[in-house]
Amino acid sequence: MRCVISVLGKDRAGIVAGISGVLAEKGASIDDINQTILDNIFSMTMLVRLDTDTAGFNEVQEALTKEGEELGVQVIVQREDVFQFMYKI
């Protein structure tokens, strides 16, 4: 299963490490990543492949939400098919 993960918040050290660390713990792999910092605002979008035998969508989503709270950033996790459907015209 592939997911789109969006992270947004005030820039600080450790955001990428925290989010990618959770993904590694849950057996997920990052297929693509893009990040930018605009006037101290951190933004990152990731395309991630979950190993649902290791950790399901809800488990990964909960872990990333918790990590985001600890880092002071907003983390949104969406299934890729739902994300694609939302933007279909």
Side-chain angles (χ1 to χ4, degrees), residues 5 16 25 30 35 68 72 75 78 85:
I5 300 172
V16 176
E25 288 172 9
I30 300 168
Q35 70 176 46
V75 180
Q78 297 175 289
F85 184 77

Side-chain angles (χ1 to χ4, degrees), residues 4-76:
V4 176
I5 300 172
S6 303
V7 181
L8 182 66
K10 185 176 178 184
D11 187 36
R12 62 171 287 222
I15 298 173
V16 176
I19 298 299
S20 61
V22 168
L23 292 171
E25 288 172 9
K26 301 298 179 185
S29 41
I30 300 168
D31 289 345
D32 203 355
I33 183 171
N34 184 16
Q35 70 176 46
T36 189
I37 300 168
L38 299 169
D39 197 26
N40 209 31
I41 298 170
F42 177 87
S43 173
M44 177 170 66
T45 305
M46 307 170 92
L47 185 57
V48 173
R49 186 173 313 274
L50 301 184
D51 178 358
T52 54
D53 291 335
T54 303
F57 177 84
N58 291 337
E59 182 180 344
V60 173
Q61 184 179 40
E62 289 172 13
L64 288 171
T65 298
K66 181 180 177 195
E67 183 68 19
E69 289 170 359
E70 292 175 10
L71 292 167
V73 296
Q74 176 187 32
V75 180
I76 298 170

